[in-house]
Amino acid sequence: MPFNVLVAVSLLYVAFLFTVAFVAERRARGGLASWLRSPLVYTLSLSIYCTAWTFYGAVGYAARSGLEFLTVYLGPTLVFVGWWWVLRKLVRIGRAQRVTSIADLISSRYGKSNLLGVVVTLMAVLAATPYIALQLQSVTLSFGVFASDTPEGWALPDQGATALWVAAGLTVFTILFGTRNLDANERHHGIVMAIAVEAVVKLIALLAVGIFVVWGVADGVADIMRRIDLSTIADWQLRPGRWAGLTFVSAAAILTLPRMFQVMVVENADERNLATASWAFPLYLMLMSLFVVPIAVVGLATLPEGANPDLFVLTIPLTEGAGKLAMLAFLGGFSSATSMVIVAAIALSTMVSNHIVTPLWLALRVGSARAPGDVRGLVLMSRRLSIGAVLALGYTYYHVSGGSAALASIGFISFVGAAQVLPAMLGGIYWRGATHVGAALGLVVGFGVWLYSLFLPSFGPAGLISADVMALGPFGLVWLRPQALFGITGLDPLLHALFWSMLLNTAVFLIGSLVSFPGPMERLQGVAFINVFDQSSGPGGWSRSAAEAEDLLSMSQRILGVEEAQRFFQAQAAAQGKLGFLPDPTPDFIARLERQMAGSVGAATAHAMIAQLSGGATVSVQDLIAVAGEAQQIKEYSAQLEAKSDELARTARALREANDKLTELSVQKDAFLSQISHELRTPMTSIRAFSEILMEADLPDDMRGKYAGIIHDETRRLTRLLDDLLDLSVLENRRVQLNVGVANLHDLITKAVTSASSTRPERVFVVQRDAASEHMPVFTDTDRLVQVFINLISNARKYCDAERAVLRIEVKKRGTQAEIDFIDNGAGIPKKAQSLIFEKFARLTDTSHAGGAGLGLAICREIMANLGGSIDYLPGQGGAAFRVRLPLKRKG
Amino acid sequence: MPHTNQPLFLARRSYRRRRMMDAVRVLPLFGTVLLMIPLLWRPAETTEADTAHGVVYLFAIWALLIVSAFGLARGLAPALLVDEEPVGPDGSAAAADAEAG
C-alpha cells in the first residue's frame, strides 16, 4: 500500500474526528447534547486507558510473557467493579470541590497547598513522557510497516521525522480542541466525543483483526485453543511477584494517571454514569484483550522469526493479503495513540497552567493592575505552550531512549511513576490525619526512588546513569545501586522500583502525617473530603433561587437599617428609570449593593450573602474563613470599644467622687470658718466689754484689777486657740519639723502624767500603770508624743465622770508597734459621737464647761499621723478608751 | 390496608439496596482472590500444556465479575439519585436501619 495513501487516509480520519469534535462542541453549547452526557459516551471516553500499548503492545507482551499482559486490564477491572469503594467517592469529591485535575485534588485536599500542586504536576509530566513516547513510537512503527516492502522493515531512515510529524500534528489538534475555551468545569465535550468515536474505532479494528485471525487464518475456537497449547506461549513463566505487582500498579494507575482522572472525574457529567461504567468498562477491556492471545499465537506461528511481535496486529493482515483490514487496524492503532496523547496533553497542560504558570505570573505581576481578560488569555496561552512542551518532552524521550524498547516495558515505567500519587490520594480521602507535610514528603520520596531506580535507567547504559553507577552504585556506594537498593539484588527491576518507591512513599507519608500538624484550612478540607457523602445533601433550593429585588431589600434593611436601605434602593431605581418601583437586580446594581453592604458587614460576608441570594456559587470554605476573619475583627473592635467605655466610666466615677469630696470639703471649710469665728468672737466680745468698763474713770481698783485679770485670761485663751489652729494647720499640711530622738517610753508617760496633773488638780485622780511593761526605747519626736499623752490624760481628768476616777495606762508591744492604751472608768463616749471626736471643734459637752476649743484630739490625730502611728477610740472598755499606736523603729 | 403497607414496602427496598451495597463492596475482594489464583500456577513446569485453560479460567472470572457488576449497578443506580440513604417519604430509613441491624 502506497505510503501516500496511508497519509491521506490518516489526514481524512483526523478531519473526520475534527468534524465530530466540532459538531459535539456546538451542540453542547447549544444545550442540545444530552447524549453527550450519556453513560455510553462516558464509558467509551474511559477507554483512553487502552492506548497503543494495548492495541499493539498487548500482543507483543503476550508473545513475550504469556498471560502476564492480562494484569494490565485485570487491575482496572477490579477497581471498576469495586467502584462503590473509591471511584464513587472520587467522583463525588471531584464534583463537590470542582476539581480540575489530580494535582488540584491533592492540593485542594491538603489545604489548597500550591506546593503539592506543583509537586504532583511535575511528577505527572515526567511520568507521562515515557507514555507519550510510547504512542509516538507505536504510530511511527505502524507507519514504518506500511512504508517498507517487508512487514518487519520498520527501521526506515526517516523514522525520527515521522515521529516529529505525528507529534506536531497531535499538538495542533489538541491545541485546537483542548484550548478553545476556558470552562469553569474543565469539560471538553468535543474532545470527549472524539475520543468516544476513536474508542469505537479501535475496538472494532481489534475485534476485526481477532475475528480474521481466529476464523480466517486459524480454524475456529477449538483450533486456536490447540494452537495456544502448542505455541511457545504455553511455556510462559508466571512470576507471582510480577503478577500481583503489575495488577496492583495498573489498578493504582487507573486512579492516578492524569488523563484517566481527567475523563473519569473531571469530565464526568453525571454520577450515575459511573454505575454503568462499573460493568461496561471492564467489558470493554475484556473485549480488547479477548483476541490478544490468538493474534500472538498465530503471529508467532505464521510470521518469520525476528518479526516484531508488537506489530502483529498489522503484519498478520498484511501478509495474509487483507490490505483493507490492515488499514482498519492501522486506524485503530492511530486512534488509540492519538486519543491518549490528546487527553494526556490536555490534562497535563491544565495542571501546568493552573499550578505553575498562573501562580508564577500572578506572583511576578504584583502591583500592575491589569484587566481580568488578560488572565484568560494568559491561561489559554500557557495551556497551548504546555501542550507543545508535553509533546516535545515525549518526543525527546522517544528520541533519547532510541525507540527500540518493547512497548509494554515503557508503559509500566509511566504506571509506576503515576502510582506514586496513590498514598496521598487514598490517605487524603479516607484518613483525616493525613497532612500536607506527609503528602509532600511521601510524594517526593516515592518519586525520587522512581526517578532513580526506574526512569533514569530506562535510557540505557549510554543515557543519564552510566553503566558504572548501575553496577557499582553512585560514588562507590554499593548499597545504592539503582536496581539493587540496600544491597538486595536479583529483583526484577520493575518490581524493585515499585516495591521500594511505594513502600518508602507510604511510610514517609504516614510518618510525616503522624508527626505534623495540619492548618485550619487543611482540616476543613480534610473533613469536606472524607465526609463528602454526608454534606452534599444540603438544602439545595436555597442557593438556586434567583435574586429578587424584594429579598435583597429585606436583607439589606436588616444590615443597613430600614431608612438607608430604602433610600439606596430608591436611588438605584431612579437611576434605572424606574422611580417608585424596586430596581431590577442587574449585575451592576448587585455589585453596588454588595459594596454598600461591605461597608457594614465586611466584603467577604457581603459577598457570601449576595451570592446566596443571587444564586451564584455556594459559599466556599475561603468565603467562610474570610467571614470568620471579619467577624473576629469586628469582635476585637467592639471589645476595644467596651474597654474604652469601661475606662470612661471609671474616670467618670473618679471625677464624681472627687467632686463629692470637694463639696464635702467646702462644707467642712464653711463649718470650720463659722466655728472659728464663733470661737474667736466669744473671747473678743468679753475683752471688748471689760475693756470698755475699764475705760470708765471712776472704777474702784479692785474691780479694775479683776476685769484686767479677765481680759488677760481671755487673751491667753485666744492665744492658745490661735496657737492650736496654727499647730493644726502645720500638722495637717505635713510641714511639721520633727525632732526625732531616743527616749524611754516610761519616762515620757511619767512626764505627761506630771504635766497633766495641773488640769482640775482638785479632783482625786488615780493613774494605774505597769512600769515593767513601759520600759522600751522609742525613736520619735518625744515632745510631740508627750503632747498627745498630755492631751489624753487631761481629757480623762476633765471628762471622767466617775466618783473615783481611775485612769489605766497599758503598754503592749505588738510586732513593730507599741500600743499605749488610755482607759478611764467613766461613762465613755456615746456610740453616735465616737466618729466625731477626732474632728475639729468637736465637743460633746457644753463649751464653757470644758474650756477648750475642741481641737485637742484633732491635733493628736494629726501628730500621730505625722509620727507614722495612729490614735483610735477603743469601744467597749467600760469607759472612754484611746489607743495610741507608735512604730518602734523609724521609717525611711 | 395500603397505607400501612407503604413503609413496609419501602423498608424492604432500602434493605435490599443496603445488601447490594454490601455486595458491591465485597465483589472486588472476591475478584482479587480469584484473579490471584494464577500465583499458584506453574505453566512452564506442567508436562501437559494448559495455558489455554488458564485463558479460559481468567476470562470466565472476568465475565463473572462483569455480569455481577452489571446486576449490582442496575440495582444501585437509583440509590445514587437519592444520595447515600434512600429515605422514604415518611422517614422509613429508620425502619431500614432497624431491619439491617
Side-chain angles (χ1 to χ4, degrees):
Chain A
M1 183 172 296
F3 190 65
N4 291 345
V5 176
L6 194 71
V7 174
V9 169
S10 309
L11 288 179
L12 270 180
Y13 180 68
V14 169
F16 164 68
L17 286 181
F18 201 89
T19 317
V20 168
F22 190 71
V23 171
E25 195 91 342
R26 279 192 64 169
R27 298 208 123 203
R29 201 162 304 161
L32 296 166
S34 58
W35 47 273
L36 276 178
R37 300 157 57 98
S38 71
L40 181 68
V41 171
Y42 180 67
T43 308
L44 286 175
S45 72
L46 288 176
S47 73
I48 53 153
Y49 182 73
C50 301
T51 63
W53 173 5
T54 304
F55 198 85
Y56 295 120
V59 174
Y61 197 172
R64 292 184 188 98
S65 315
L67 298 186
E68 199 178 276
F69 82 95
L70 281 175
T71 54
V72 182
Y73 311 100
L74 292 176
T77 298
L78 289 174
V79 170
F80 265 82
V81 298
W83 61 291
W84 200 262
W85 285 107
V86 181
L87 287 181
R88 192 173 63 108
K89 195 161 192 178
L90 267 187
V91 169
R92 177 67 68 90
I93 290 172
R95 293 166 62 82
Q97 300 280 330
R98 300 180 179 208
V99 169
T100 58
S101 66
I102 186 155
D104 191 32
L105 178 92
I106 299 290
S107 136
S108 174
R109 159 61 179 84
Y110 296 102
K112 320 231 162 177
S113 143
N114 201 44
L115 171 77
L116 275 174
V118 172
V119 170
V120 176
T121 302
L122 290 178
M123 286 171 62
V125 169
L126 259 190
T129 27
Y131 217 139
I132 289 170
L134 186 160
Q135 313 303 322
L136 295 179
Q137 179 177 341
S138 68
V139 175
T140 311
L141 287 178
S142 61
F143 267 112
V145 168
F146 285 92
S148 68
D149 291 325
T150 51
E152 66 274 26
W154 43 272
L156 71 164
D158 60 341
Q159 201 187 65
T162 313
L164 195 57
W165 274 108
V166 173
L170 283 173
T171 309
V172 171
F173 187 86
T174 313
I175 287 175
L176 277 179
F177 267 93
T179 61
R180 275 166 61 90
N181 58 334
L182 265 187
D183 184 30
N185 297 322
E186 296 294 352
R187 297 216 176 104
H188 307 82
H189 296 290
I191 294 283
V192 168
M193 197 59 220
I195 60 176
V197 170
E198 289 193 294
V200 176
V201 171
K202 66 194 180 195
L203 181 64
I204 290 177
L206 201 56
L207 286 180
V209 174
I211 290 167
F212 173 74
V213 164
V214 173
W215 283 280
V217 181
D219 218 5
V221 178
D223 184 36
I224 282 292
M225 287 302 192
R226 198 176 46 78
R227 281 180 186 230
I228 290 174
D229 283 345
L230 284 179
S231 74
T232 50
I233 293 180
D235 290 332
W236 67 291
Q237 287 281 340
L238 194 149
R239 283 165 288 179
R242 272 182 78 89
W243 183 269
L246 297 184
T247 308
F248 167 76
V249 80
S250 28
I254 196 145
L255 291 172
T256 55
L257 280 172
R259 68 171 195 282
M260 288 315 297
F261 193 86
Q262 176 81 26
V263 288
M264 204 158 62
V265 177
V266 181
E267 309 272 0
N268 178 292
D270 188 340
E271 252 172 73
R272 277 168 299 163
N273 290 349
L274 198 58
T276 309
S278 76
W279 58 269
F281 181 62
L283 180 65
Y284 186 93
L285 291 178
M286 193 180 84
L287 291 176
M288 286 296 278
S289 357
L290 196 56
F291 291 108
V292 167
V293 176
I295 294 170
V297 167
V298 169
L300 283 174
T302 56
L303 292 175
E305 195 83 9
N308 186 357
D310 278 339
L311 292 171
F312 280 173
V313 176
L314 282 180
T315 47
I316 291 174
L318 273 181
T319 45
E320 298 291 331
K324 292 208 173 67
L325 183 62
M327 177 57 79
L328 181 63
F330 171 79
L331 283 184
F334 188 71
S335 299
S336 320
T338 51
S339 56
M340 178 271 162
V341 173
I342 289 168
V343 179
I346 288 177
L348 292 174
S349 72
T350 306
M351 285 156 70
V352 169
S353 84
N354 283 4
H355 292 281
I356 298 180
V357 178
T358 316
L360 259 184
W361 191 77
L362 287 176
L364 291 176
R365 180 202 71 124
V366 185
S368 71
R370 300 256 202 113
D374 272 357
V375 180
R376 274 180 80 84
L378 168 91
V379 170
L380 282 178
M381 185 48 67
S382 77
R383 287 199 184 170
R384 287 175 187 142
L385 292 177
S386 323
I387 289 172
V390 165
L391 278 157
L393 274 176
Y395 176 75
T396 311
Y397 186 93
Y398 165 76
H399 195 71
V400 172
S401 68
S404 56
L407 297 178
S409 62
I410 307 177
F412 276 124
I413 297 174
S414 270
F415 271 27
V416 177
Q420 301 306 321
V421 183
L422 191 72
M425 182 199 234
L426 290 186
I429 64 175
Y430 286 108
W431 184 36
R432 276 176 70 171
T435 69
H436 76 282
V437 175
L441 288 176
L443 285 169
V444 169
V445 167
F447 194 62
V449 174
W450 171 78
L451 264 184
Y452 181 64
S453 63
L454 195 62
F455 183 79
L456 295 180
S458 73
F459 291 105
L464 295 162
I465 291 191
S466 67
D468 272 0
V469 172
M470 292 295 284
L472 299 168
F475 316 113
L477 297 169
V478 179
W479 60 278
L480 273 182
R481 276 172 294 169
Q483 297 189 336
L485 285 177
F486 308 113
I488 298 168
T489 50
L491 274 175
D492 178 81
L494 183 75
L495 275 185
H496 170 269
L498 175 67
F499 176 76
W500 283 118
S501 62
M502 290 308 284
L503 183 77
L504 293 175
N505 181 340
T506 313
V508 171
F509 168 64
L510 289 177
I511 294 169
S513 294
L514 289 174
V515 300
S516 60
F517 198 78
M521 188 70 173
E522 198 178 341
R523 284 202 257 178
L524 278 174
Q525 286 294 88
V527 172
F529 271 56
I530 284 149
N531 302 332
V532 68
F533 291 114
D534 304 339
Q535 305 163 342
S536 45
S537 55
W542 233 75
S543 56
R544 256 171 249 132
S545 66
E548 295 292 335
E550 224 172 296
D551 295 340
L552 290 172
L553 179 60
S554 71
M555 176 180 71
S556 42
Q557 274 181 355
R558 258 175 282 158
I559 291 162
L560 300 172
V562 177
E563 293 250 330
E564 195 180 337
Q566 282 176 0
R567 204 164 45 237
F568 177 75
F569 271 65
Q570 274 163 14
Q572 292 300 314
Q576 286 180 6
K578 291 181 67 183
L579 197 59
F581 296 93
L582 282 172
D584 287 330
T586 57
D588 184 46
F589 164 65
I590 289 181
R592 272 166 211 257
L593 180 62
E594 187 180 322
R595 272 202 300 280
Q596 188 82 9
M597 280 170 49
S600 305
V601 291
T605 316
H607 180 72
M609 296 176 103
I610 296 272
Q612 282 285 13
L613 276 184
S614 62
T618 45
V619 186
S620 72
V621 176
Q622 280 124 318
D623 292 344
L624 284 179
I625 286 181
V627 169
E630 275 169 6
Q632 182 62 29
Q633 279 177 7
I634 292 171
K635 239 173 100 177
E636 268 170 25
Y637 182 61
S638 77
Q640 281 172 6
L641 278 183
E642 209 172 317
K644 277 210 180 101
S645 88
D646 277 357
E647 203 180 310
L648 280 178
R650 266 198 304 280
T651 316
R653 208 178 312 131
L655 278 175
R656 202 159 45 237
E657 277 166 11
N659 187 39
D660 287 351
K661 204 159 194 168
L662 281 176
T663 317
E664 200 182 321
L665 280 176
S666 160
V667 171
Q668 276 180 13
K669 183 200 71 187
D670 289 347
F672 180 68
L673 282 179
S674 73
Q675 279 281 1
I676 276 279
S677 40
H678 175 73
E679 294 289 336
L680 291 176
R681 197 185 173 84
T682 319
M684 286 305 274
T685 312
S686 65
I687 289 171
R688 202 184 64 201
F690 284 111
S691 47
E692 273 171 11
I693 295 173
L694 282 182
M695 274 189 273
E696 285 174 20
D698 52 343
L699 208 63
D701 272 356
D702 57 332
M703 293 284 275
R704 193 181 298 267
K706 187 182 170 194
Y707 294 156
I710 291 173
I711 291 176
H712 182 244
D713 281 351
E714 288 300 315
T715 46
R716 271 182 58 194
R717 200 172 127 198
L718 260 180
T719 314
R720 203 167 61 236
L721 176 66
L722 287 174
D723 280 348
D724 282 356
L725 275 175
L726 210 59
D727 204 14
L728 190 64
S729 141
V730 167
L731 285 166
E732 273 182 339
N733 291 316
R734 302 282 189 276
R735 280 199 307 242
V736 64
Q737 198 70 39
L738 295 176
N739 298 314
V740 180
V742 185
N744 191 337
L745 189 59
H746 177 77
D747 299 344
L748 296 181
I749 295 174
T750 308
K751 200 172 161 187
V753 170
T754 314
S755 303
S757 58
S758 60
T759 313
R760 291 179 73 183
E762 72 285 359
R763 280 196 75 179
V764 179
F765 194 82
V766 180
V767 178
Q768 293 182 346
R769 295 173 62 186
D770 176 20
S773 64
E774 287 173 3
H775 287 289
M776 62 174 74
V778 285
F779 299 85
T780 186
D781 187 329
T782 48
D783 291 344
R784 289 292 187 179
L785 189 59
V786 170
Q787 190 186 344
V788 171
F789 291 166
I790 293 172
N791 206 305
L792 289 173
I793 297 167
S794 314
N795 275 351
R797 291 186 80 109
K798 263 187 238 166
Y799 301 119
C800 184
D801 48 4
E803 203 142 317
R804 278 187 74 251
V806 175
L807 175 69
R808 208 163 76 241
I809 301 176
E810 292 175 359
V811 177
K812 278 183 277 248
K813 198 173 163 183
R814 191 115 333 140
T816 59
Q817 284 190 323
E819 283 180 3
I820 306 115
D821 294 348
F822 295 88
I823 306 164
D824 64 29
N825 58 348
I829 296 169
K831 196 164 184 167
K832 208 164 63 179
Q834 282 170 10
S835 60
L836 287 175
I837 49 175
F838 291 106
E839 297 301 325
K840 285 167 274 195
F841 301 111
R843 251 187 317 242
L844 305 179
T845 48
D846 188 23
T847 317
S848 54
H849 171 69
L855 288 174
L857 281 174
I859 290 174
C860 285
R861 190 179 63 175
E862 290 305 323
I863 290 174
M864 288 320 294
N866 276 287
L867 294 180
S870 63
I871 177 165
D872 299 295
Y873 183 76
L874 277 183
Q877 299 296 321
F882 291 88
R883 170 167 290 173
V884 175
R885 286 198 186 84
L886 184 73
L888 288 172
K889 282 177 189 160
R890 248 189 96 205
K891 275 183 207 161
Chain B
M1 284 193 290
H3 184 70
T4 48
N5 282 346
Q6 186 83 345
L8 262 183
F9 171 69
L10 281 170
R12 181 169 299 160
R13 199 173 67 178
S14 60
Y15 178 85
R16 200 42 55 210
R17 272 190 196 148
R18 276 156 176 270
R19 299 295 78 78
M20 277 198 203
M21 289 175 197
D22 293 347
V24 81
R25 286 189 178 105
V26 170
L27 189 61
L29 306 180
F30 267 107
T32 308
V33 171
L34 290 172
L35 292 176
M36 285 302 125
I37 283 189
L39 296 182
L40 309 172
W41 293 353
R42 292 280 183 278
E45 293 164 19
T46 48
T47 47
E48 213 171 294
D50 55 356
T51 299
H53 292 108
V55 174
V56 172
Y57 170 80
L58 286 172
F59 275 89
I61 298 295
W62 207 338
L64 189 73
L65 287 177
I66 292 167
V67 170
S68 318
F70 173 70
L72 289 169
R74 284 196 55 157
L76 282 171
L80 288 175
L81 266 183
V82 280
D83 279 316
E84 177 82 320
E85 297 302 314
V87 180
D90 47 5
S92 57
D97 272 334
E99 213 175 326

